[in-house]
Structure formats: C-alpha cells, structure tokens
Amino acid sequence: MTSSMVAPINMGKQLLGNWCSAKKRIVEINSPCNSTCYNTNRRFSLLVSACSHCSPVGGNTRKGLKDVPLINGRARKLGNESTEDFATFLRGRFVEDRFVYRQNFFVRSYETGPDKTISMETLTNFLQETALNHVRSCGLNENSFGTTYEMDLRKLIWVVTRMQVQVQRYSKWGDEIEVETWIDVGGKNGTRRDWIIRDRYTKEIIAKATSKWAIMNRETRRLSKMHEEVRQELAPFYFNRFAIAAEEIDHQKIQKLTDSTVEGFRFGVIVRWYDMDVNQHVNNAKYTRWISESVPRKMLEDYTMTSMTLEFRRECTQSDILESMTSASSKVIGASNNKYVSKKPHLQYIHLLRLQDNKTELVRARTEWHLKLNHN
C-alpha cells in the first residue's frame, strides 16, 4: 500500500475516533445516571430508562420508576409490570387460559383525523390486526393470513358476513389501548369473533364488537361448508363469551336503499390496488370509509358515529367502481337497558354500497350518531 493511500485511511480513523469521543462525552453529560454506556443497537425507542447504566430493560430503578413511555410529552409509570410483560406489549399475548388474545396499540398521529381522534376505519383496522395475530399465535398456521393448515390445503379463506361495532369514545393521539379477541362457534358453517377495546391504564371499556365469519373458496370465490378437519382445528379455541350483551346484538334486517329513497349520493368510488389484502379481498376497514363518502360533511363535523352494523352481501374486486348511498332511517332503535348504551342515538342512517355499472349490492350498513360534546 502506498503512502498516499495510508494517509486518508489514518485521517478517517482519527476523525471517527474524535466523533466517538465527542458522543461519549455528550452521553456522560446527559445521562441521568452519569453512565458512559451508550446502546448503539437500538435504532428507535419510545422509552426513557430511569435505571443504572442506561439499561433499556431490567436493572435498578430510580425513584420507583421502571421504563417510562413518553407519549405526548407525558411520562407514565408502568406500575409493577415485569420486563417480560413489556416485551409482549406490542406483539400481544394470551390471557384467560389462552382463550383470549390481547394486543396493545399506541395511537399514532397519522391514525387520527380533523377532530384529533381515530376514526371508525382505524378502529376496525385494530380489530383486524388483533384477529390475525390471534390466529397466528394459536399455531394454526404461522405462514398464512388468518387461515388454518386444513383451510390452506383446500384453498379456503375467511370472509366476514356481518359485523357490529359499538363505540363509547374514540381514542386520541398518544393514547394506549388494549384489544382483546376470541372466537366461538357461529352456526353450522361459520364462527363468531368478538372484541373488547379498553384504555390500557384505566381499563375503561371504550368499544365493543362482534362479527360472523364464513369460509370461501379462494379460487372460485364461492362460500364453502366448514370441513370437519377445519372444525376440529378450531374447536379447542372456542370461548363461549359475548362482548356485546345478547339484547344489544343487532339482528335486525337492514333496510334496502333505492334511488327514490336515497338522500346522500357519491359516484365513482374506485377500488384501488392498495385496498386489497393478500387474499385479493378488500380490507374490511375500507368499507367503513366508503359508506361515509355519502354522509353530509356537516354530519361528520358535528356528530360522532357511535354504532355501526355492516352486512356484507357480495365482494368487490380491484378496479370496480362503486356508488355510496346514504339516507336517514325512519326507525330509531330505543334506549338500551345496558349502561354501555344509555340513550337513544340522535340520528340513525342507512347506507348502501353497490357497483356503479350493474347496481349489484355489496354492503348494507346501519349507523347511529350522537352530537359531539362540544356541540351540546
């Protein structure tokens, strides 16, 4: 190696050494425990560790605090949670003898809307993510998108046929929530999946949901019976519990909207490539957004959707063009005896999504709305 080559290399080593020394001094100055430890393996962290040697987990505590998440500039104590508990915070874990799966979420800024809270679409995305992680964690089929081994052998996938969500309040940016889900038998050829969403710290129930699922052939796109082998795979995980009380479950048939009864209309809702999931099936949460396309903007500004029931009739495919239709319902569901829904909705709407070219119905929906608190 020539001297002309050695000089730049030595100069680079010297600059790197100076940079590392400077960083070390900064860490010594700013470290709460005056440690010279610097963890270069963590690319990003939501934690500030108040413990000796700047250890991200474990170690001694300082002033009784363990790992403290900084959300919206506020430090929150994690109480008596162990390191193992926090390690499973984001990826979820089983509770109640492994019948219930619990998934935790931080509400990100990009998941909130103009009113600084999440939307029904974001909420249903949380539900779907928890459901998929539940199936995968059960060991039924770790490489699939929510299906079992026997379903994969027969080219079968899950499709939701009906879904109901009740919302007490919507979370804000920085909130931490936990979603619990489980499954149970749902008729001869289907399953029922329920969810409960809580504030992670207060354990306040902020939303509930229930749904019915059927099996469809991935290639023919036709509904299929549940084979006995599939039933045997699922049976050990069935949990007989209802998230929404029996008297609160919406079994009422959703009225059909027609051109003569519609009040709000939106043409040209296009099903795009990124609306599809890995099964070439539209993500269920997308329908929640599309039914809102024909809701008057004044409604969205002044009212909050507190309940939604979706009835899926047919699936749509990429590049389909839809029509979104909305009309105020003439029949309002009465007040509930359940404290969770303690008063009549201020407004109730009926919705319809259909194909624009041949008017084929895809989804019927019913929503209930309450005036926002700052408009009372």
Side-chain angles (χ1 to χ4, degrees):
M1 182 180 297
T2 65
S3 59
S4 60
M5 296 173 63
V6 172
I9 293 176
N10 291 335
M11 182 178 296
K13 290 181 178 179
Q14 182 178 359
L15 290 174
L16 180 60
N18 292 339
W19 182 83
C20 292
S21 298
K23 175 174 283 190
K24 181 178 179 181
R25 287 194 296 273
I26 292 174
V27 172
E28 290 175 343
I29 294 172
N30 294 321
S31 173
C33 55
N34 294 323
S35 171
T36 59
C37 170
Y38 184 78
N39 188 347
T40 59
N41 294 325
R42 304 184 68 199
R43 295 183 299 171
F44 179 76
S45 175
L46 287 172
L47 300 178
V48 171
S49 298
C51 60
S52 64
H53 305 297
C54 296
S55 174
V57 292
N60 297 324
T61 60
R62 184 182 184 189
K63 294 183 180 179
L65 294 179
K66 290 187 178 181
D67 299 319
V68 184
L70 291 183
I71 304 296
N72 282 346
R74 295 168 297 172
R76 289 179 172 178
K77 183 177 178 181
L78 293 184
N80 297 321
E81 294 175 325
S82 66
T83 299
E84 181 180 0
D85 287 337
F86 193 79
T88 60
F89 176 79
L90 294 178
R91 66 173 179 263
R93 63 177 178 177
F94 287 98
V95 295
E96 301 203 38
D97 296 327
R98 298 183 65 83
F99 285 109
V100 177
Y101 186 78
R102 179 181 295 165
Q103 179 81 48
N104 298 281
F105 296 92
F106 289 111
V107 176
R108 314 294 182 178
S109 59
Y110 53 80
E111 293 169 329
T112 60
D115 58 357
K116 301 179 182 179
T117 64
I118 64 174
S119 64
M120 181 68 82
E121 179 184 2
T122 299
L123 182 61
T124 50
N125 271 322
F126 289 158
L127 302 183
Q128 178 171 287
E129 178 70 9
T130 308
L132 290 172
N133 285 337
H134 176 211
V135 175
R136 184 175 184 179
S137 298
C138 285
L140 293 172
N141 196 348
E142 294 186 359
N143 298 319
S144 73
F145 198 66
T147 58
T148 70
Y149 287 105
E150 293 293 337
M151 290 176 66
D152 273 357
L153 290 175
R154 294 166 174 79
K155 300 178 181 179
L156 302 174
I157 60 175
W158 290 110
V159 291
V160 60
T161 58
R162 192 176 179 94
M163 184 174 188
Q164 179 186 358
V165 184
Q166 292 181 341
V167 181
Q168 181 68 20
R169 66 172 177 84
Y170 289 93
S171 302
K172 303 185 295 298
W173 173 35
D175 284 352
E176 299 172 46
I177 64 173
E178 59 182 31
V179 183
E180 291 185 348
T181 188
W182 60 91
I183 61 172
D184 195 12
V185 63
K188 183 178 179 180
N189 287 306
T191 60
R192 192 192 80 241
R193 177 175 287 280
D194 287 18
W195 297 267
I196 290 180
I197 302 92
R198 294 183 176 90
D199 180 282
R200 181 171 181 251
Y201 291 93
T202 67
K203 305 305 179 183
E204 169 200 3
I205 295 179
I206 57 180
K208 299 179 180 180
T210 187
S211 59
K212 292 182 179 180
W213 296 74
I215 291 177
M216 185 176 75
N217 187 285
R218 185 172 59 239
E219 295 184 348
T220 66
R221 315 307 286 186
R222 294 181 179 273
L223 294 181
S224 170
K225 69 176 184 178
M226 181 180 290
H227 295 263
E228 185 59 31
E229 292 82 358
V230 176
R231 198 185 315 276
Q232 291 177 4
E233 285 182 304
L234 297 173
F237 302 96
Y238 286 155
F239 190 47
N240 186 21
R241 176 186 291 179
F242 290 87
I244 299 177
E247 63 272 18
E248 289 294 327
I249 297 179
D250 183 4
H251 297 292
Q252 181 186 0
K253 183 178 179 180
I254 300 177
Q255 303 166 352
K256 180 181 180 180
L257 281 183
T258 64
D259 292 333
S260 61
T261 58
V262 68
E263 297 177 353
F265 209 102
R266 170 69 185 274
F267 293 97
V269 179
I270 302 175
V271 182
R272 304 185 186 277
W273 171 256
Y274 289 108
D275 294 325
M276 313 298 289
D277 62 25
V278 299
N279 289 321
Q280 297 300 305
H281 189 79
V282 172
N283 183 323
N284 298 327
K286 302 296 182 181
Y287 293 107
T288 304
R289 183 202 309 170
W290 292 338
I291 66 172
S292 301
E293 292 285 346
S294 52
V295 175
R297 179 172 175 177
K298 187 66 174 174
M299 273 286 302
L300 301 177
E301 291 176 348
D302 296 346
Y303 287 79
T304 298
M305 186 191 299
T306 56
S307 177
M308 175 186 71
T309 301
L310 297 173
E311 183 182 286
F312 298 88
R313 306 179 73 83
R314 287 177 178 81
E315 67 170 350
C316 56
T317 58
Q318 184 200 348
S319 300
D320 280 342
I321 301 178
L322 314 182
E323 295 174 342
S324 177
M325 306 165 64
T326 294
S327 182
S329 174
S330 59
K331 182 178 180 181
V332 176
I333 298 176
S336 166
N337 293 326
N338 190 327
K339 293 182 180 180
Y340 183 72
V341 181
S342 59
K343 59 182 179 179
K344 294 181 180 180
H346 295 167
L347 292 172
Q348 186 182 87
Y349 277 84
I350 302 297
H351 310 266
L352 175 66
L353 289 176
R354 69 184 186 186
L355 295 179
Q356 187 166 297
D357 56 355
N358 60 16
K359 312 305 179 185
T360 299
E361 290 190 20
L362 302 176
V363 178
R364 292 185 188 184
R366 177 170 38 248
T367 58
E368 297 178 1
W369 304 72
H370 279 93
L371 192 66
K372 293 182 180 178
L373 294 178
N374 58 350
H375 288 81
N376 284 338

